[in-house]
Amino acid sequence: MISLVGTIVDRAVACPAMPSVASMAGTGRGRNTCCANARSWPGHANCQFIHAKIWRMIAQALFTPAQQKLLGLLFVRVNEGFHLNEIMRLTGLGSASAQRELRRLHESGLITSERIGNVRRFWPNKESLVYPELSGLVQKTFGIVGVLSMTLAPLRDQLHLAFVSGATAKGQDMPGSAIDLLLVGEEANYGDLLTGLAPAERTLRRKINPNLYTLADYRRRLREGQPFLLQVLQQPKLFVIGDESQLHALALPDSSMQAIGTPSVF
């Protein structure tokens, strides 16, 4: 697996601050090196876009198109459960292909099923030993994070940070629930953002609720201890642009916030 991923990455233009995948996998270090140096490297937005393309290449190398469609449905809309006809309709797979992939996933323990009435519905098996890793890989490649990453690509120069929050990030979203997306940017326009997110909504078949802050407004709300923002920051996140180190870098120092009585978010 390491050699495969390393080969894929070698085919892309890597971020100057990003260590090789082989070194990251071997040592566990450097995972956030690129984002940690975001402020010192003006091409960081391009780096993030390249990373998204690398994830997509990894998905294409590891999963067939049929598997991507099936996993993208089941592991994105985790708590819904789908029967065969729904899976065929939502993924565009034929009956034989859908049944073959479902059987493979079921026999390997990656998904589970339950007969409800006269139909059998399928869900990801959260008790599987590899569920966290597989779910994370799906999200980063052709799941929510992958879709949003490609959708936001034209706006990357205007955005410092973007992450999914709320029930979706916790894995507790319900059928038809919206995706909460928090973004921090300098020149991003809310109208352009809504227009840009429309393709992602169609792909994911979910409404996206964006909360867009300028950096100044984001920091002001932190200083004031706005309950909504503090709650979001303390809960699980699915990062689309940036990561925890970038989140820390955007915030005012804890000492500055504590001086005015604002609790530390981190």
Side-chain angles (χ1 to χ4, degrees):
M1 175 68 74
I2 298 302
S3 60
L4 172 62
V5 175
T7 300
I8 295 171
V9 173
D10 288 341
R11 293 171 55 192
V13 180
C15 163
M18 182 181 179
S20 68
V21 171
S23 66
M24 293 194 312
T27 65
R29 298 174 183 173
R31 179 172 53 188
N32 296 327
T33 303
C34 170
C35 289
N37 290 281
R39 290 181 297 177
S40 61
W41 184 51
H44 177 67
N46 291 329
C47 169
Q48 290 277 347
F49 180 54
I50 290 170
H51 290 181
K53 293 178 65 176
I54 291 173
W55 279 119
R56 188 64 184 174
M57 293 169 66
I58 291 174
Q60 293 171 347
L62 298 180
F63 304 104
T64 66
Q67 290 169 339
Q68 291 183 45
K69 291 178 179 179
L70 185 55
L71 292 171
L73 175 64
L74 296 179
F75 281 76
V76 169
R77 299 165 67 172
V78 178
N79 299 312
E80 296 190 35
F82 299 92
H83 58 70
L84 179 61
N85 287 339
E86 288 177 323
I87 290 172
M88 293 168 54
R89 176 173 57 84
L90 294 172
T91 63
L93 296 175
S95 176
S97 179
Q99 291 186 66
R100 180 177 62 252
E101 298 300 341
L102 286 170
R103 183 169 57 252
R104 288 176 176 174
L105 292 173
H106 200 278
E107 290 175 351
S108 65
L110 296 177
I111 66 173
T112 186
S113 66
E114 178 183 357
R115 181 168 291 279
I116 301 177
N118 61 348
V119 297
R120 180 170 295 277
R121 305 188 76 86
F122 297 88
W123 290 270
N125 181 10
K126 296 182 180 180
E127 302 301 320
S128 168
L129 293 176
V130 296
Y131 173 78
E133 290 80 7
L134 180 57
S135 178
L137 182 59
V138 169
Q139 298 294 359
K140 290 177 179 177
T141 52
F142 45 86
I144 289 178
V145 172
V147 171
L148 289 175
S149 181
M150 297 304 293
T151 300
L152 293 176
L155 300 175
R156 283 180 180 272
D157 288 336
Q158 305 170 33
L159 296 171
H160 297 294
L161 185 74
F163 61 82
V164 175
S165 61
T168 301
K170 298 175 187 176
Q172 300 174 352
D173 45 346
M174 301 303 294
S177 62
I179 298 171
D180 295 320
L181 181 66
L182 187 144
L183 310 98
V184 180
E186 283 301 324
E187 301 176 357
N189 178 276
Y190 193 75
D192 292 341
L193 178 62
L194 291 177
T195 301
L197 289 175
E201 291 184 321
R202 290 193 294 269
T203 299
L204 298 171
R205 294 181 173 86
R206 303 268 297 277
K207 179 176 174 56
I208 299 173
N209 289 333
N211 283 295
L212 176 63
Y213 301 97
T214 64
L215 182 57
D217 188 37
Y218 174 77
R219 286 176 168 169
R220 177 183 62 79
R221 291 170 186 266
L222 281 182
R223 288 197 306 270
E224 296 174 353
Q226 185 191 67
F228 170 77
L229 184 57
L230 295 183
Q231 182 180 22
V232 168
L233 294 178
Q234 292 169 346
Q235 293 179 350
K237 311 167 192 65
L238 296 175
F239 284 97
V240 179
I241 297 175
D243 59 9
E244 288 288 350
S245 63
Q246 182 72 350
L247 185 66
H248 282 263
L250 291 180
L252 291 175
D254 283 348
S255 58
S256 298
M257 290 190 291
Q258 290 169 357
I260 58 174
T262 303
S264 172
V265 179
F266 309 106

